[in-house]
Each structure stands twice: as structure tokens, then as C-alpha cells.
Amino acid sequence: MNERFDAGMKVRRKVLGDAHVDRAEAAKTEFDTAFQGLITEGAWGTVWASDGISLRERSMLTLALLAACGNFEEIPMHIRATANTGASKQDVLEVFQHVAIYAGVPRANHALKLAKATYAEMEAD
């Protein structure tokens, strides 16, 4: 591919884990290959690969933005990623408290519900 794609794959694997990335790669089809490349280069190879802030901070920002915008589907994936980024449970709680004040209690409440369930799954594994 290219440098940005390669950097994106490296960071994506570091944050989400090899198993997650391998499943995502295996699920790619001709239909979504270009879109997956865009995400790998843009999100992972540009934003997440930047050394401007730490992976912990980036993880916290991502969770806040997902919750604030109501994009709940990716919250469990990014809660699991906290095991690799260094964002603690307390960090996540602080993030969602911030979301409650600035984006609304219902969104923060739902995000917390997802986080609790995901942490329980992680602890059971």
C-alpha cells in the first residue's frame, strides 16, 4: 500500500489488537475495501498515528466524541482498546461525566451502560 496505510495498520493493531484487526480484514469485501483503506489511512494512519497527544488521551477523546454524537456502536470496541491505550476505568468515568454535562445525560448514561457491560465481558475473559 503506502506509508500512511502501513502506519495506520501498525497503530490500529496496537490499539485494537491483532485479533480484532484480523477479523475486520477477513470481513472486507470488494464493496468496502476502499472505505476500509480510507479509515486505515485517515483515522489510524493520520490521527491515531500522530504523536501530538498520547494514545490514552486519544482514547478518552474518542470515547467522549462517540458518546456525545450518539455513535454508540463503536463504544464497546473503544472500551476494549483502553486495555492497550492506558485509559483507566476512572478515566472513562470522567469522560462520560463530561459528556453528561456538555452533551446530555441520556447519552452519557447509555455510554456508561455499554462501558459497564464491556468491562464485565473483559473481566470474564
PDB file of all heavy atoms in Angstrom, residues 19-51:
ATOM      1  N   ALA A  19      -6.293  -9.616  16.956  1.00  0.00           N
ATOM      2  CA  ALA A  19      -7.490 -10.427  16.706  1.00  0.00           C
ATOM      3  C   ALA A  19      -8.603  -9.584  16.095  1.00  0.00           C
ATOM      4  O   ALA A  19      -9.248 -10.002  15.121  1.00  0.00           O
ATOM      5  CB  ALA A  19      -7.964 -11.091  17.998  1.00  0.00           C
ATOM      6  N   HIS A  20      -8.819  -8.388  16.635  1.00  0.00           N
ATOM      7  CA  HIS A  20      -9.869  -7.510  16.100  1.00  0.00           C
ATOM      8  C   HIS A  20      -9.559  -7.120  14.658  1.00  0.00           C
ATOM      9  O   HIS A  20     -10.426  -7.196  13.782  1.00  0.00           O
ATOM     10  CB  HIS A  20     -10.020  -6.251  16.961  1.00  0.00           C
ATOM     11  CG  HIS A  20     -10.987  -5.281  16.372  1.00  0.00           C
ATOM     12  ND1 HIS A  20     -12.330  -5.330  16.647  1.00  0.00           N
ATOM     13  CD2 HIS A  20     -10.806  -4.256  15.492  1.00  0.00           C
ATOM     14  CE1 HIS A  20     -12.939  -4.376  15.965  1.00  0.00           C
ATOM     15  NE2 HIS A  20     -12.034  -3.711  15.258  1.00  0.00           N
ATOM     16  N   VAL A  21      -8.328  -6.693  14.410  1.00  0.00           N
ATOM     17  CA  VAL A  21      -7.947  -6.247  13.066  1.00  0.00           C
ATOM     18  C   VAL A  21      -8.002  -7.412  12.087  1.00  0.00           C
ATOM     19  O   VAL A  21      -8.484  -7.251  10.952  1.00  0.00           O
ATOM     20  CB  VAL A  21      -6.568  -5.563  13.074  1.00  0.00           C
ATOM     21  CG1 VAL A  21      -6.128  -5.195  11.662  1.00  0.00           C
ATOM     22  CG2 VAL A  21      -6.604  -4.313  13.955  1.00  0.00           C
ATOM     23  N   ASP A  22      -7.557  -8.588  12.503  1.00  0.00           N
ATOM     24  CA  ASP A  22      -7.615  -9.757  11.625  1.00  0.00           C
ATOM     25  C   ASP A  22      -9.062 -10.086  11.247  1.00  0.00           C
ATOM     26  O   ASP A  22      -9.352 -10.402  10.085  1.00  0.00           O
ATOM     27  CB  ASP A  22      -6.952 -10.972  12.275  1.00  0.00           C
ATOM     28  CG  ASP A  22      -5.433 -10.831  12.371  1.00  0.00           C
ATOM     29  OD1 ASP A  22      -4.856  -9.940  11.692  1.00  0.00           O
ATOM     30  OD2 ASP A  22      -4.828 -11.600  13.148  1.00  0.00           O
ATOM     31  N   ARG A  23      -9.988  -9.998  12.211  1.00  0.00           N
ATOM     32  CA  ARG A  23     -11.412 -10.238  11.916  1.00  0.00           C
ATOM     33  C   ARG A  23     -11.944  -9.191  10.935  1.00  0.00           C
ATOM     34  O   ARG A  23     -12.663  -9.516   9.989  1.00  0.00           O
ATOM     35  CB  ARG A  23     -12.252 -10.219  13.195  1.00  0.00           C
ATOM     36  CG  ARG A  23     -12.173 -11.476  14.034  1.00  0.00           C
ATOM     37  CD  ARG A  23     -13.211 -11.498  15.148  1.00  0.00           C
ATOM     38  NE  ARG A  23     -13.185 -10.338  16.011  1.00  0.00           N
ATOM     39  CZ  ARG A  23     -12.403 -10.181  17.071  1.00  0.00           C
ATOM     40  NH1 ARG A  23     -11.559 -11.149  17.406  1.00  0.00           N
ATOM     41  NH2 ARG A  23     -12.462  -9.094  17.816  1.00  0.00           N
ATOM     42  N   ALA A  24     -11.598  -7.927  11.174  1.00  0.00           N
ATOM     43  CA  ALA A  24     -12.059  -6.849  10.300  1.00  0.00           C
ATOM     44  C   ALA A  24     -11.511  -7.022   8.886  1.00  0.00           C
ATOM     45  O   ALA A  24     -12.231  -6.836   7.897  1.00  0.00           O
ATOM     46  CB  ALA A  24     -11.658  -5.495  10.872  1.00  0.00           C
ATOM     47  N   GLU A  25     -10.246  -7.379   8.779  1.00  0.00           N
ATOM     48  CA  GLU A  25      -9.629  -7.578   7.463  1.00  0.00           C
ATOM     49  C   GLU A  25     -10.268  -8.757   6.737  1.00  0.00           C
ATOM     50  O   GLU A  25     -10.501  -8.690   5.534  1.00  0.00           O
ATOM     51  CB  GLU A  25      -8.119  -7.781   7.608  1.00  0.00           C
ATOM     52  CG  GLU A  25      -7.369  -6.507   7.945  1.00  0.00           C
ATOM     53  CD  GLU A  25      -7.437  -5.496   6.807  1.00  0.00           C
ATOM     54  OE1 GLU A  25      -6.921  -5.775   5.709  1.00  0.00           O
ATOM     55  OE2 GLU A  25      -8.032  -4.416   7.022  1.00  0.00           O
ATOM     56  N   ALA A  26     -10.563  -9.823   7.470  1.00  0.00           N
ATOM     57  CA  ALA A  26     -11.186 -11.003   6.857  1.00  0.00           C
ATOM     58  C   ALA A  26     -12.609 -10.709   6.382  1.00  0.00           C
ATOM     59  O   ALA A  26     -13.088 -11.331   5.433  1.00  0.00           O
ATOM     60  CB  ALA A  26     -11.185 -12.165   7.850  1.00  0.00           C
ATOM     61  N   ALA A  27     -13.266  -9.740   7.015  1.00  0.00           N
ATOM     62  CA  ALA A  27     -14.641  -9.400   6.669  1.00  0.00           C
ATOM     63  C   ALA A  27     -14.740  -8.416   5.495  1.00  0.00           C
ATOM     64  O   ALA A  27     -15.825  -8.183   4.976  1.00  0.00           O
ATOM     65  CB  ALA A  27     -15.359  -8.822   7.893  1.00  0.00           C
ATOM     66  N   LYS A  28     -13.607  -7.854   5.077  1.00  0.00           N
ATOM     67  CA  LYS A  28     -13.614  -6.907   3.960  1.00  0.00           C
ATOM     68  C   LYS A  28     -14.098  -7.580   2.685  1.00  0.00           C
ATOM     69  O   LYS A  28     -13.800  -8.743   2.435  1.00  0.00           O
ATOM     70  CB  LYS A  28     -12.207  -6.354   3.698  1.00  0.00           C
ATOM     71  CG  LYS A  28     -11.863  -5.154   4.458  1.00  0.00           C
ATOM     72  CD  LYS A  28     -10.606  -4.436   3.993  1.00  0.00           C
ATOM     73  CE  LYS A  28      -9.480  -5.255   3.488  1.00  0.00           C
ATOM     74  NZ  LYS A  28      -8.222  -4.502   3.354  1.00  0.00           N
ATOM     75  N   THR A  29     -14.820  -6.806   1.907  1.00  0.00           N
ATOM     76  CA  THR A  29     -15.257  -7.284   0.596  1.00  0.00           C
ATOM     77  C   THR A  29     -14.827  -6.265  -0.451  1.00  0.00           C
ATOM     78  O   THR A  29     -14.336  -5.178  -0.116  1.00  0.00           O
ATOM     79  CB  THR A  29     -16.792  -7.433   0.543  1.00  0.00           C
ATOM     80  OG1 THR A  29     -17.382  -6.130   0.655  1.00  0.00           O
ATOM     81  CG2 THR A  29     -17.306  -8.350   1.650  1.00  0.00           C
ATOM     82  N   GLU A  30     -15.046  -6.595  -1.697  1.00  0.00           N
ATOM     83  CA  GLU A  30     -14.739  -5.660  -2.781  1.00  0.00           C
ATOM     84  C   GLU A  30     -15.521  -4.360  -2.577  1.00  0.00           C
ATOM     85  O   GLU A  30     -15.026  -3.272  -2.857  1.00  0.00           O
ATOM     86  CB  GLU A  30     -15.090  -6.303  -4.123  1.00  0.00           C
ATOM     87  CG  GLU A  30     -14.732  -5.440  -5.310  1.00  0.00           C
ATOM     88  CD  GLU A  30     -15.074  -6.123  -6.618  1.00  0.00           C
ATOM     89  OE1 GLU A  30     -15.074  -7.363  -6.688  1.00  0.00           O
ATOM     90  OE2 GLU A  30     -15.353  -5.387  -7.590  1.00  0.00           O
ATOM     91  N   PHE A  31     -16.728  -4.484  -2.048  1.00  0.00           N
ATOM     92  CA  PHE A  31     -17.600  -3.327  -1.845  1.00  0.00           C
ATOM     93  C   PHE A  31     -17.013  -2.303  -0.879  1.00  0.00           C
ATOM     94  O   PHE A  31     -17.098  -1.106  -1.113  1.00  0.00           O
ATOM     95  CB  PHE A  31     -18.971  -3.808  -1.338  1.00  0.00           C
ATOM     96  CG  PHE A  31     -19.942  -2.703  -1.060  1.00  0.00           C
ATOM     97  CD1 PHE A  31     -20.512  -1.977  -2.097  1.00  0.00           C
ATOM     98  CD2 PHE A  31     -20.295  -2.390   0.242  1.00  0.00           C
ATOM     99  CE1 PHE A  31     -21.413  -0.954  -1.840  1.00  0.00           C
ATOM    100  CE2 PHE A  31     -21.193  -1.363   0.504  1.00  0.00           C
ATOM    101  CZ  PHE A  31     -21.753  -0.649  -0.539  1.00  0.00           C
ATOM    102  N   ASP A  32     -16.404  -2.758   0.222  1.00  0.00           N
ATOM    103  CA  ASP A  32     -15.946  -1.814   1.248  1.00  0.00           C
ATOM    104  C   ASP A  32     -14.427  -1.690   1.375  1.00  0.00           C
ATOM    105  O   ASP A  32     -13.936  -1.008   2.268  1.00  0.00           O
ATOM    106  CB  ASP A  32     -16.563  -2.143   2.610  1.00  0.00           C
ATOM    107  CG  ASP A  32     -16.082  -3.458   3.204  1.00  0.00           C
ATOM    108  OD1 ASP A  32     -15.530  -4.286   2.471  1.00  0.00           O
ATOM    109  OD2 ASP A  32     -16.279  -3.655   4.408  1.00  0.00           O
ATOM    110  N   THR A  33     -13.675  -2.282   0.481  1.00  0.00           N
ATOM    111  CA  THR A  33     -12.218  -2.215   0.566  1.00  0.00           C
ATOM    112  C   THR A  33     -11.705  -0.777   0.528  1.00  0.00           C
ATOM    113  O   THR A  33     -10.843  -0.402   1.331  1.00  0.00           O
ATOM    114  CB  THR A  33     -11.565  -3.062  -0.544  1.00  0.00           C
ATOM    115  OG1 THR A  33     -11.898  -4.428  -0.309  1.00  0.00           O
ATOM    116  CG2 THR A  33     -10.060  -2.903  -0.558  1.00  0.00           C
ATOM    117  N   ALA A  34     -12.212   0.036  -0.374  1.00  0.00           N
ATOM    118  CA  ALA A  34     -11.753   1.432  -0.471  1.00  0.00           C
ATOM    119  C   ALA A  34     -12.097   2.199   0.800  1.00  0.00           C
ATOM    120  O   ALA A  34     -11.293   2.991   1.299  1.00  0.00           O
ATOM    121  CB  ALA A  34     -12.363   2.119  -1.688  1.00  0.00           C
ATOM    122  N   PHE A  35     -13.276   1.955   1.364  1.00  0.00           N
ATOM    123  CA  PHE A  35     -13.677   2.621   2.607  1.00  0.00           C
ATOM    124  C   PHE A  35     -12.768   2.207   3.755  1.00  0.00           C
ATOM    125  O   PHE A  35     -12.332   3.047   4.547  1.00  0.00           O
ATOM    126  CB  PHE A  35     -15.141   2.298   2.926  1.00  0.00           C
ATOM    127  CG  PHE A  35     -15.636   2.957   4.175  1.00  0.00           C
ATOM    128  CD1 PHE A  35     -15.933   4.311   4.186  1.00  0.00           C
ATOM    129  CD2 PHE A  35     -15.790   2.231   5.347  1.00  0.00           C
ATOM    130  CE1 PHE A  35     -16.382   4.936   5.344  1.00  0.00           C
ATOM    131  CE2 PHE A  35     -16.237   2.841   6.502  1.00  0.00           C
ATOM    132  CZ  PHE A  35     -16.538   4.198   6.503  1.00  0.00           C
ATOM    133  N   GLN A  36     -12.460   0.934   3.843  1.00  0.00           N
ATOM    134  CA  GLN A  36     -11.565   0.444   4.897  1.00  0.00           C
ATOM    135  C   GLN A  36     -10.174   1.055   4.745  1.00  0.00           C
ATOM    136  O   GLN A  36      -9.517   1.377   5.731  1.00  0.00           O
ATOM    137  CB  GLN A  36     -11.493  -1.083   4.878  1.00  0.00           C
ATOM    138  CG  GLN A  36     -12.793  -1.762   5.284  1.00  0.00           C
ATOM    139  CD  GLN A  36     -13.226  -1.414   6.688  1.00  0.00           C
ATOM    140  OE1 GLN A  36     -12.405  -1.329   7.599  1.00  0.00           O
ATOM    141  NE2 GLN A  36     -14.513  -1.198   6.881  1.00  0.00           N
ATOM    142  N   GLY A  37      -9.718   1.233   3.523  1.00  0.00           N
ATOM    143  CA  GLY A  37      -8.440   1.896   3.285  1.00  0.00           C
ATOM    144  C   GLY A  37      -8.465   3.341   3.747  1.00  0.00           C
ATOM    145  O   GLY A  37      -7.500   3.831   4.351  1.00  0.00           O
ATOM    146  N   LEU A  38      -9.571   4.027   3.488  1.00  0.00           N
ATOM    147  CA  LEU A  38      -9.742   5.408   3.942  1.00  0.00           C
ATOM    148  C   LEU A  38      -9.642   5.496   5.461  1.00  0.00           C
ATOM    149  O   LEU A  38      -8.938   6.352   6.003  1.00  0.00           O
ATOM    150  CB  LEU A  38     -11.097   5.953   3.470  1.00  0.00           C
ATOM    151  CG  LEU A  38     -11.515   7.302   4.026  1.00  0.00           C
ATOM    152  CD1 LEU A  38     -10.682   8.415   3.415  1.00  0.00           C
ATOM    153  CD2 LEU A  38     -12.988   7.533   3.761  1.00  0.00           C
ATOM    154  N   ILE A  39     -10.325   4.611   6.155  1.00  0.00           N
ATOM    155  CA  ILE A  39     -10.289   4.601   7.623  1.00  0.00           C
ATOM    156  C   ILE A  39      -8.873   4.300   8.121  1.00  0.00           C
ATOM    157  O   ILE A  39      -8.368   4.960   9.037  1.00  0.00           O
ATOM    158  CB  ILE A  39     -11.282   3.561   8.188  1.00  0.00           C
ATOM    159  CG1 ILE A  39     -12.714   3.990   7.906  1.00  0.00           C
ATOM    160  CG2 ILE A  39     -11.070   3.357   9.679  1.00  0.00           C
ATOM    161  CD1 ILE A  39     -13.734   2.904   8.169  1.00  0.00           C
ATOM    162  N   THR A  40      -8.235   3.311   7.518  1.00  0.00           N
ATOM    163  CA  THR A  40      -6.888   2.930   7.960  1.00  0.00           C
ATOM    164  C   THR A  40      -5.908   4.074   7.754  1.00  0.00           C
ATOM    165  O   THR A  40      -5.097   4.374   8.639  1.00  0.00           O
ATOM    166  CB  THR A  40      -6.422   1.657   7.230  1.00  0.00           C
ATOM    167  OG1 THR A  40      -7.353   0.603   7.530  1.00  0.00           O
ATOM    168  CG2 THR A  40      -5.033   1.247   7.664  1.00  0.00           C
ATOM    169  N   GLU A  41      -5.981   4.730   6.610  1.00  0.00           N
ATOM    170  CA  GLU A  41      -5.061   5.841   6.337  1.00  0.00           C
ATOM    171  C   GLU A  41      -5.432   7.101   7.106  1.00  0.00           C
ATOM    172  O   GLU A  41      -4.567   7.753   7.687  1.00  0.00           O
ATOM    173  CB  GLU A  41      -5.038   6.148   4.841  1.00  0.00           C
ATOM    174  CG  GLU A  41      -4.363   5.075   4.030  1.00  0.00           C
ATOM    175  CD  GLU A  41      -4.321   5.406   2.544  1.00  0.00           C
ATOM    176  OE1 GLU A  41      -4.370   6.604   2.180  1.00  0.00           O
ATOM    177  OE2 GLU A  41      -4.230   4.456   1.744  1.00  0.00           O
ATOM    178  N   GLY A  42      -6.707   7.462   7.092  1.00  0.00           N
ATOM    179  CA  GLY A  42      -7.132   8.718   7.712  1.00  0.00           C
ATOM    180  C   GLY A  42      -7.193   8.672   9.226  1.00  0.00           C
ATOM    181  O   GLY A  42      -6.498   9.427   9.909  1.00  0.00           O
ATOM    182  N   ALA A  43      -8.023   7.766   9.739  1.00  0.00           N
ATOM    183  CA  ALA A  43      -8.191   7.697  11.191  1.00  0.00           C
ATOM    184  C   ALA A  43      -6.941   7.153  11.869  1.00  0.00           C
ATOM    185  O   ALA A  43      -6.406   7.766  12.795  1.00  0.00           O
ATOM    186  CB  ALA A  43      -9.401   6.823  11.542  1.00  0.00           C
ATOM    187  N   TRP A  44      -6.468   6.001  11.407  1.00  0.00           N
ATOM    188  CA  TRP A  44      -5.367   5.326  12.093  1.00  0.00           C
ATOM    189  C   TRP A  44      -3.995   5.819  11.653  1.00  0.00           C
ATOM    190  O   TRP A  44      -3.103   5.989  12.478  1.00  0.00           O
ATOM    191  CB  TRP A  44      -5.493   3.810  11.928  1.00  0.00           C
ATOM    192  CG  TRP A  44      -6.736   3.300  12.559  1.00  0.00           C
ATOM    193  CD1 TRP A  44      -7.888   2.918  11.920  1.00  0.00           C
ATOM    194  CD2 TRP A  44      -7.000   3.171  13.955  1.00  0.00           C
ATOM    195  NE1 TRP A  44      -8.834   2.551  12.842  1.00  0.00           N
ATOM    196  CE2 TRP A  44      -8.322   2.693  14.106  1.00  0.00           C
ATOM    197  CE3 TRP A  44      -6.245   3.407  15.102  1.00  0.00           C
ATOM    198  CZ2 TRP A  44      -8.900   2.441  15.340  1.00  0.00           C
ATOM    199  CZ3 TRP A  44      -6.820   3.156  16.341  1.00  0.00           C
ATOM    200  CH2 TRP A  44      -8.131   2.683  16.443  1.00  0.00           C
ATOM    201  N   GLY A  45      -3.811   6.076  10.361  1.00  0.00           N
ATOM    202  CA  GLY A  45      -2.503   6.463   9.850  1.00  0.00           C
ATOM    203  C   GLY A  45      -2.190   7.943   9.969  1.00  0.00           C
ATOM    204  O   GLY A  45      -1.040   8.353   9.882  1.00  0.00           O
ATOM    205  N   THR A  46      -3.224   8.756  10.184  1.00  0.00           N
ATOM    206  CA  THR A  46      -3.021  10.201  10.344  1.00  0.00           C
ATOM    207  C   THR A  46      -3.322  10.633  11.773  1.00  0.00           C
ATOM    208  O   THR A  46      -2.442  11.103  12.483  1.00  0.00           O
ATOM    209  CB  THR A  46      -3.912  10.994   9.361  1.00  0.00           C
ATOM    210  OG1 THR A  46      -3.602  10.594   8.027  1.00  0.00           O
ATOM    211  CG2 THR A  46      -3.690  12.485   9.498  1.00  0.00           C
ATOM    212  N   VAL A  47      -4.558  10.445  12.207  1.00  0.00           N
ATOM    213  CA  VAL A  47      -4.973  10.944  13.524  1.00  0.00           C
ATOM    214  C   VAL A  47      -4.359  10.127  14.656  1.00  0.00           C
ATOM    215  O   VAL A  47      -3.648  10.666  15.505  1.00  0.00           O
ATOM    216  CB  VAL A  47      -6.513  10.980  13.630  1.00  0.00           C
ATOM    217  CG1 VAL A  47      -6.960  11.386  15.024  1.00  0.00           C
ATOM    218  CG2 VAL A  47      -7.086  11.951  12.594  1.00  0.00           C
ATOM    219  N   TRP A  48      -4.617   8.828  14.685  1.00  0.00           N
ATOM    220  CA  TRP A  48      -4.116   7.999  15.783  1.00  0.00           C
ATOM    221  C   TRP A  48      -2.599   7.846  15.755  1.00  0.00           C
ATOM    222  O   TRP A  48      -1.979   7.645  16.800  1.00  0.00           O
ATOM    223  CB  TRP A  48      -4.789   6.621  15.769  1.00  0.00           C
ATOM    224  CG  TRP A  48      -6.142   6.599  16.402  1.00  0.00           C
ATOM    225  CD1 TRP A  48      -7.329   6.896  15.804  1.00  0.00           C
ATOM    226  CD2 TRP A  48      -6.453   6.286  17.758  1.00  0.00           C
ATOM    227  NE1 TRP A  48      -8.358   6.775  16.702  1.00  0.00           N
ATOM    228  CE2 TRP A  48      -7.846   6.394  17.912  1.00  0.00           C
ATOM    229  CE3 TRP A  48      -5.678   5.912  18.858  1.00  0.00           C
ATOM    230  CZ2 TRP A  48      -8.488   6.143  19.123  1.00  0.00           C
ATOM    231  CZ3 TRP A  48      -6.319   5.655  20.065  1.00  0.00           C
ATOM    232  CH2 TRP A  48      -7.713   5.774  20.190  1.00  0.00           C
ATOM    233  N   ALA A  49      -1.983   7.952  14.578  1.00  0.00           N
ATOM    234  CA  ALA A  49      -0.531   7.810  14.483  1.00  0.00           C
ATOM    235  C   ALA A  49       0.219   9.078  14.885  1.00  0.00           C
ATOM    236  O   ALA A  49       1.423   9.035  15.100  1.00  0.00           O
ATOM    237  CB  ALA A  49      -0.135   7.408  13.059  1.00  0.00           C
ATOM    238  N   SER A  50      -0.478  10.186  15.011  1.00  0.00           N
ATOM    239  CA  SER A  50       0.167  11.436  15.400  1.00  0.00           C
ATOM    240  C   SER A  50       0.711  11.322  16.819  1.00  0.00           C
ATOM    241  O   SER A  50       0.086  10.737  17.697  1.00  0.00           O
ATOM    242  CB  SER A  50      -0.843  12.582  15.344  1.00  0.00           C
ATOM    243  OG  SER A  50      -0.329  13.732  15.972  1.00  0.00           O
ATOM    244  N   ASP A  51       1.875  11.913  17.047  1.00  0.00           N
ATOM    245  CA  ASP A  51       2.438  11.899  18.401  1.00  0.00           C
ATOM    246  C   ASP A  51       2.107  13.192  19.151  1.00  0.00           C
ATOM    247  O   ASP A  51       2.698  13.479  20.179  1.00  0.00           O
ATOM    248  CB  ASP A  51       3.943  11.621  18.372  1.00  0.00           C
ATOM    249  CG  ASP A  51       4.725  12.671  17.590  1.00  0.00           C
ATOM    250  OD1 ASP A  51       4.120  13.620  17.060  1.00  0.00           O
ATOM    251  OD2 ASP A  51       5.959  12.528  17.511  1.00  0.00           O
TER     252      ASP A  51
END
